[in-house]
């Protein structure tokens, strides 16, 4: 598997991100969907990576710097064909390594409370994330779980 910094122009990533947004809106109330569309992911404070198995897109992940030393995980998604192959774990490890290299000391994320999000919550817990209060501009939401992890450099 290779992980590359992505410019968000390929048709494969456009399709994966649209599927991600479609699932978020099908699973959560609109006011509780915090997934970013492709244009929002092109902001300078966001770095976006894709994972590839041979020539097939396997997944994606983004890192948004929200304040000095603090980053947020956005747009974590794997393709149907890549599920169960360790792609999400490798993407998370890559993002964490890049965050540490760039001087971040804390990573946080928001995910859903619904059963659909249980695999994601389990992945983050296995990686050392713990539940926390809302951060950045988030507020309490019964459909959101907030998690954070301190990084060791």
């Amino acid at each position: 598997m290779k992980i590359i910094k992505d410019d968000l122009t390929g048709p494969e990533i456009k399709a994966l991100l649209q599927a991600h947004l479609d699932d978020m809106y099908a699973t959560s109330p609109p006011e509780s969907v915090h997934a970013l569309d492709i244009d929002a992911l092109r902001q300078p404070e966001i770095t976006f990576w894709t994972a590839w198995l041979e020539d097939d897109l396997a997944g994606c992940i983004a890192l948004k710097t929200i304040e000095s030393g603090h980053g947020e995980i956005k747009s974590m998604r794997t393709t149907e064909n890549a599920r169960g192959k360790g792609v999400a774990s490798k993407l998370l490890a890559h993002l964490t390594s890049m965050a540490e290299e760039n001087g971040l000391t804390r990573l946080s994320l928001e995910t859903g409370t619904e059963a659909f999000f249980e695999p994601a919550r389990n992945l983050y817990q296995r990686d050392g994330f713990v539940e926390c209060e809302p951060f950045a501009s988030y507020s309490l939401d019964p459909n959101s779980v907030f998690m954070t992890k301190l990084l060791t450099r």
Side-chain angles (χ1 to χ4, degrees):
M1 181 175 71
K2 65 180 175 181
I3 298 174
I4 61 168
K5 191 172 176 183
D6 198 292
D7 64 6
L8 295 150
T9 60
E12 301 94 344
I13 194 57
K14 288 178 182 178
L16 182 60
L17 288 171
Q18 187 58 57
H20 181 61
L21 285 171
D22 291 348
D23 278 348
M24 297 305 97
Y25 282 101
T27 305
S28 300
E31 66 275 8
S32 297
V33 174
H34 303 287
L36 301 177
D37 66 21
I38 200 162
D39 290 328
L41 287 166
R42 289 189 176 121
Q43 301 308 308
E45 66 273 10
I46 297 176
T47 306
F48 191 86
W49 295 275
T50 49
W52 298 81
L53 296 170
E54 302 294 326
D55 292 328
D56 296 323
L57 177 64
C60 63
I61 195 167
L63 174 61
K64 178 180 181 180
T65 301
I66 54 178
E67 63 186 17
S68 179
H70 190 186
E72 179 183 5
I73 298 172
K74 299 296 292 180
S75 300
M76 167 69 112
R77 179 73 176 209
T78 57
T79 63
E80 289 287 331
N81 292 341
R83 299 219 171 111
K85 296 181 180 176
V87 172
S89 294
K90 289 176 183 170
L91 279 166
L92 184 56
H94 180 80
L95 180 142
T96 301
S97 176
M98 295 292 102
E100 290 173 333
E101 282 184 25
N102 287 296
L104 298 183
T105 56
R106 179 177 168 204
L107 286 175
S108 298
L109 62 97
E110 178 276 339
T111 192
T113 59
E114 294 89 350
F116 177 87
F117 299 100
E118 186 174 356
R121 291 191 308 267
N122 290 339
L123 170 71
Y124 296 128
Q125 287 172 341
R126 282 192 308 272
D127 197 60
F129 284 82
V130 296
E131 288 191 30
C132 65
E133 294 297 314
F135 58 93
S137 61
Y138 292 106
S139 56
L140 284 176
D141 180 342
N143 299 296
S144 290
V145 173
F146 303 96
M147 302 179 85
T148 196
K149 175 183 174 178
L150 294 177
L151 302 179
T152 56
R153 294 177 59 192

